[in-house]
Amino acid sequence: MTATILDGKSLAKELQAELKSDVEAFVQDKGFAPTMAIVRAGSDPASEWYARTIVRTMERYGLQAVEHGRPADIAQADLLALVAQLSADPGVHGIMIQEPLPKGMDRAAVIAALDPRKDVDGVHPANAGLLAQAPPAGRGEGAPFFVPATPAGGMEILRRYDIPLSGKNAVVLGRSNIVGKPMALLLLRQNATVTVCHSRTADLPAVCRQADVLAAAVGRAHMVQADWIRPGAVVIDFGTNPVKPCPACGAHNAEDAAGCACGQPLDEVKVAWVGDVDFEAAEKVAGMITPVPGGTGPMTNVMLMRNLLAAARRS
Ligand code: NDP
């Protein structure tokens, strides 16, 4: 058996086309573009690159993103004041706090300074709490709230591929506030029976084998092996891990490794991105599976843009 590939890349393109026409209609109706502020401090190159990518991507779809970069030694009070000022600005509809924040900065305090109605990244405790309290599907809507873009994208893949969740066993690997935990709550809301695993879970492979739907958000290259997967299960891989694959033995080495344990030098080997699931082996067992790259990754930015449009509509 070979699994059906859950093609996040193509799906993201479809959603981008839908989003583009929704944004055009919004701009025509309201006379302004949904605008997001990206708050960043320090000079982490990955964070700078990601902020620039978001600005460019948003512009392509008629949305506006403005980067507010600050030096790493910005005082916490000044960063809090910036977030408060953007929260109060009626011309700003969404705010994203770019991680990592400088060492010593109280991350929780910075996030708490966000207006939850502009928290398009779904990180404010009010949004996390509303997600936790939202009624199950079919029992009303509850208050509107924002969901972090990555798990929202994973759920959208499940929805667009008509994958039934009600009454199914779902296992989520990872319990972070931005991926694992919200994914578990979203699956629960769709009436799945959810188990959440973490670094202290006993006999992880056995727990994973119970899953009709297995979502991995661990950050460990190829941790999930084929024999962890129940035949026919749906696998959603959020993992995005940089590795240097050894051309001689295939081992996944750390991205900065100069050589493999088998003796092969890796200086010339380019960094590749792999998921938490051993895709090649898993696709022979799973019923459906997201690839890495091209699965959950491309969905994340689209869901963030959808959140921004929703924030602007509500403003
Ligand atoms: P975190 O490091 O915040 O969380 C990792 C989770 O995995 C923790 O709950 C941790 O357990 C658990 N874990 C770690 N090691 C093990 C282990 N050996 N066995 C069982 N559980 C383990 O990561 P994130 O949630 O931020 O990210 C997870 C992955 O998703 C990463 O690869 C990241 O790059 C990717 N990601 C992808 C995005 C996308 O757009 N597709 C966006 C965001 C992230 P514990 O709580 O006990 O420490």
Side-chain angles (χ1 to χ4, degrees):
M1 187 173 77
T2 304
T4 301
I5 303 300
L6 299 170
D7 183 353
K9 199 171 168 188
S10 301
L11 186 50
K13 279 197 186 134
E14 249 175 69
L15 295 180
Q16 280 159 352
E18 291 171 20
L19 180 85
K20 197 159 191 245
S21 70
D22 288 349
V23 172
E24 277 164 12
F26 177 90
V27 173
Q28 198 150 27
D29 183 34
K30 304 287 180 195
F32 60 86
T35 299
M36 185 173 87
I38 304 169
V39 175
R40 224 178 37 71
S43 52
D44 178 73
S47 162
E48 284 177 350
W49 173 84
Y50 186 51
R52 279 198 305 273
T53 305
I54 294 179
V55 172
R56 274 203 306 268
T57 309
M58 292 221 166
E59 278 170 1
R60 233 183 291 144
Y61 296 96
L63 301 159
Q64 248 179 33
V66 181
E67 191 183 342
H68 297 263
R70 295 293 185 269
D73 62 355
I74 185 174
Q76 171 145 333
D78 292 340
L79 196 61
L80 290 177
L82 172 64
V83 176
Q85 176 221 315
L86 294 167
S87 289
D89 184 342
V92 173
H93 311 106
I95 304 171
M96 187 177 154
I97 312 283
Q98 182 83 45
E99 308 252 7
L101 290 173
K103 276 206 176 87
M105 191 70 77
D106 182 348
R107 181 184 173 276
V110 177
I111 286 170
L114 273 175
D115 179 341
R117 290 165 301 183
K118 298 187 179 185
D119 170 32
V120 286
D121 225 6
V123 291
H124 192 283
N127 282 312
L130 286 167
L131 170 60
Q133 291 187 345
R139 296 197 206 160
E141 282 303 311
F145 55 89
F146 290 111
V147 176
T150 300
M155 291 303 290
E156 190 67 12
I157 292 176
L158 292 167
R159 194 173 79 81
R160 295 273 176 149
Y161 276 88
D162 280 330
I163 294 165
L165 296 173
S166 184
K168 301 293 180 188
N169 282 334
V171 173
V172 179
L173 292 178
R175 56 176 166 182
S176 74
N177 287 333
I178 58 156
V179 194
K181 229 182 273 174
M183 186 66 188
L185 288 166
L186 290 165
L187 287 162
L188 181 64
R189 208 174 166 220
Q190 294 304 319
N191 300 311
T193 303
V194 183
T195 305
V196 183
C197 301
H198 44 78
S199 62
R200 310 287 172 89
T201 299
D203 200 352
L204 208 50
V207 180
C208 291
R209 276 192 290 272
Q210 303 300 312
D212 300 307
V213 176
L214 179 63
V218 175
R220 290 184 189 270
H222 285 194
M223 186 180 88
V224 178
Q225 302 293 305
D227 64 355
W228 295 28
I229 297 167
R230 185 179 186 158
V234 176
V235 179
I236 303 290
D237 191 353
F238 291 110
T240 318
N241 309 298
V243 293
K244 271 192 181 176
C246 174
C249 73
H252 287 113
N253 300 280
E255 61 180 317
D256 56 356
C260 181
C262 76
Q264 171 78 21
L266 297 172
D267 304 322
E268 304 294 315
V269 177
K270 275 198 183 147
V271 169
W273 296 85
V274 299
D276 290 345
V277 179
D278 182 351
F279 179 83
E280 273 180 30
E283 73 166 338
K284 298 186 177 80
V285 183
M288 295 178 151
I289 186 166
T290 56
V292 178
T296 56
M299 297 292 288
T300 296
N301 278 349
V302 194
M303 302 314 283
L304 180 68
M305 293 192 284
R306 287 222 308 205
N307 278 354
L308 177 60
L309 179 59
R313 280 182 174 142
R314 279 186 222 150
S315 71

